[in-house]
Amino acid sequence: MSRLGFLLVCALAASLGAQSLTDRFKEVRGPWELQLERGDAPTVRRGIEALLGREGLTVNPSDYNDMHALAALRSLAARACVAEGSWEDAVAHLQKAQAAAEENLGTAQPLLAKTRMEHELKLREFRDAMDKQAPRLKELEEAPGLSQDQLKLRQQLKIFMDEQKAATAHSERALKDIEAILTRLRQTKDSTAKAAADWQAFLAKERSEVAELGGASRYVAEKLEQVKADDARPQQERLAYARRLQKLDPANKDLTRLVNSLLGQDEEPEAAKPRPKKKKPAAKK
């Protein structure tokens, strides 16, 4: 993407000054996902890291929504790094995402446990109050010829019971929400830990294979032929791996041509060689 496109993405992130990190992530995630699909990983990475640089260090650890957004941003940054071939940087982002997810779960669990206990206590109180008043309300509803005071009391009991039912429903929803939040935070913790471990393993395997082949150039040459031949794979996967190989051997011209081809770019023409200067004929004596 052009420099103007990158500036527009950064301007979008900067314009959300009054929003939380969660809201900002919701605003910019769609455009960044679209750019990744188009192969513009470097621009996405710069945009995410700019947002993290401004907001990532000031997130309140007790705000589980913003901490969850922080972990998601780090994971998206890792995807952008993988797509541009920077596996080492992807691992660094994933490790930070894992740390944020672990801290978030560790902080949220006791806070939400306290809230859960409060709602469970209130539920018992609401149900006990309804059980206590239910027989009296039933008696008034079945009794014939109620006095004005009895009619008034019956109406008051109905209102009371409706209020208790609404409060009960609210606490029941809150308990479900708490469980859903904790489930989401646990899943994020597990998924970030797995992703960080997987990519560390990929890096270790790559280093081992490079060493076995005696260097990056031979390794890249062999892998390049596989990428060229494996045209059944999605284009973005081939592009991401070609960029990885390019990081290992930047001087490989075949890789440059392959990357440009996968991006739909024309190959840059070679610079014209200067014509040799004609020798001046020797002066006659």
Side-chain angles (χ1 to χ4, degrees):
M1 177 173 280
S2 66
R3 178 174 174 78
L4 176 59
F6 169 64
L7 292 176
L8 287 173
V9 171
C10 290
L12 174 61
S15 67
L16 307 172
Q19 293 178 307
S20 66
L21 185 63
T22 303
D23 292 332
R24 296 185 188 199
F25 182 52
K26 288 178 181 177
E27 290 284 345
V28 296
R29 182 176 185 175
W32 281 339
E33 292 277 6
L34 185 59
Q35 284 177 284
L36 280 178
E37 290 177 9
R38 292 173 176 169
D40 195 11
T43 298
V44 174
R45 179 182 176 180
R46 288 194 296 269
I48 296 173
E49 290 180 346
L51 180 57
L52 285 169
R54 288 191 306 274
E55 306 294 338
L57 300 177
T58 60
V59 172
N60 183 355
S62 64
D63 188 332
Y64 55 80
N65 284 319
D66 275 2
M67 286 293 290
H68 188 260
L70 177 61
L73 267 172
R74 289 287 184 190
S75 295
L76 187 58
R79 282 179 53 200
C81 289
V82 168
E84 73 167 15
S86 303
W87 289 8
E88 296 83 358
D89 295 335
V91 169
H93 275 296
L94 286 171
Q95 288 173 334
K96 290 177 181 179
Q98 178 184 355
E102 288 175 349
E103 181 182 1
N104 196 20
L105 181 60
T107 302
Q109 275 182 322
L111 292 174
L112 292 174
K114 181 181 178 182
T115 305
R116 191 203 316 250
M117 288 179 61
E118 291 172 352
H119 280 290
E120 288 172 345
L121 177 60
K122 287 184 178 296
L123 275 175
R124 287 195 293 270
E125 292 175 353
F126 299 148
R127 287 165 179 162
D128 288 346
M130 286 190 290
D131 289 344
K132 184 177 180 180
Q133 297 299 333
R136 180 58 175 155
L137 177 58
K138 182 179 179 182
E139 179 185 332
L140 290 171
E141 287 180 332
E142 293 176 351
L146 297 178
S147 66
Q148 288 298 319
D149 287 343
Q150 289 174 320
L151 289 171
K152 182 178 180 181
L153 177 59
R154 185 180 68 179
Q155 184 62 25
Q156 289 173 341
L157 286 173
K158 284 183 177 180
I159 293 172
F160 172 80
M161 296 293 276
D162 288 342
E163 289 174 346
Q164 297 302 298
K165 288 177 182 177
T168 298
H170 169 74
S171 286
E172 288 174 341
R173 285 195 301 271
L175 289 173
K176 289 181 180 179
D177 290 342
I178 288 170
E179 189 55 40
I181 290 166
L182 289 173
T183 298
R184 182 182 64 173
L185 298 189
R186 291 188 193 101
Q187 289 173 343
T188 301
K189 172 182 169 293
D190 293 343
S191 64
T192 53
K194 183 179 185 304
D198 286 348
W199 280 101
Q200 284 177 302
F202 293 153
L203 269 178
K205 183 173 182 287
E206 180 186 74
R207 293 191 189 104
S208 175
E209 291 178 354
V210 168
E212 286 177 6
L213 291 173
S217 295
R218 184 177 172 188
Y219 173 83
V220 168
E222 289 193 5
K223 294 295 183 180
L224 175 57
E225 294 308 313
Q226 295 177 21
V227 177
K228 286 180 179 179
D230 195 9
D231 55 5
R233 279 191 178 276
Q235 181 173 325
Q236 291 307 318
E237 286 186 20
R238 297 176 70 208
L239 175 61
Y241 194 58
R243 281 173 163 167
R244 175 57 185 171
L245 296 177
Q246 201 171 34
K247 292 283 185 183
L248 298 176
D249 188 5
N252 191 306
K253 301 291 186 182
D254 285 343
L255 265 175
T256 301
R257 284 190 286 270
L258 176 60
V259 169
N260 288 340
S261 173
L262 291 171
L263 285 170
Q265 298 175 354
D266 294 331
E267 186 178 341
E268 295 182 4
E270 294 184 8
K273 296 181 180 179
R275 293 181 180 179
K277 294 182 180 179
K278 293 182 179 180
K279 294 183 179 179
K280 293 183 178 180
K284 295 182 180 179
K285 294 183 179 179

